Amino acid sequence: MKAKLTRLLYYYPGKYDAQYMLEMDNGWYYLASPKQNTAYVFNQPLSLPSFYMGATWPKSSDELSPETKKEILDTIKNGKWERGSGISPRWTEDDENTWPKRNHIDIHKEIPGVKF
């Protein structure tokens, strides 16, 4: 994986399977699920919080322990990859994400997030 993590947007705390929505420097959004060792790729992060209740909006990057951060990074680096809805089967990490431009949405205003 060439992309670097820039921000944690929100997460779903779970006793058995927490999930973390991350903004990457390549313009894509990854939902990391460490317990499943899977990362899901999305072109935009806005639909999940409106569909699934219970998202936690972080106020500081200190909300996650160093162990949790390590698990997230490990999942993105070494885990299995899945494409979220709307992602082409031919998707590669180098593809440009045109969703924000086409929809005239500034994700930073919609979801402030915190630096990872």
Side-chain angles (χ1 to χ4, degrees):
M1 181 189 79
K2 296 178 255 176
K4 303 279 187 272
L5 253 153
T6 58
R7 297 184 310 142
L8 169 66
L9 301 178
Y10 54 85
Y11 61 98
Y12 292 96
K15 185 175 181 181
Y16 301 107
D17 187 24
Q19 296 181 318
Y20 306 88
M21 182 59 81
L22 310 158
E23 180 184 64
M24 306 301 282
D25 68 353
N26 64 354
W28 294 94
Y29 301 91
Y30 298 171
L31 183 69
S33 183
K35 297 289 187 238
Q36 295 178 24
N37 197 30
T38 304
Y40 301 89
V41 179
F42 289 91
N43 60 355
Q44 55 87 10
L46 300 173
S47 57
L48 284 176
S50 59
F51 189 70
Y52 297 108
M53 303 301 265
T56 299
W57 307 92
K59 293 178 180 30
S60 136
S61 61
D62 296 334
E63 288 183 31
L64 301 180
S65 70
E67 295 82 23
T68 300
K69 289 180 182 180
K70 185 182 177 322
E71 284 179 359
I72 292 168
L73 290 170
D74 214 35
T75 299
I76 289 175
K77 247 185 172 173
N78 306 316
K80 181 173 68 168
W81 285 91
E82 297 283 337
R83 292 168 181 83
S85 60
I87 302 296
S88 166
R90 296 182 309 265
W91 176 85
T92 70
E93 201 175 4
D94 296 324
D95 290 348
E96 179 186 6
N97 183 0
T98 60
W99 187 90
K101 289 180 195 169
R102 282 189 321 227
N103 292 285
H104 309 289
I105 291 180
D106 181 0
I107 297 295
H108 292 210
K109 286 183 184 171
E110 298 290 328
I111 303 176
V114 295
K115 286 191 182 264
F116 191 77

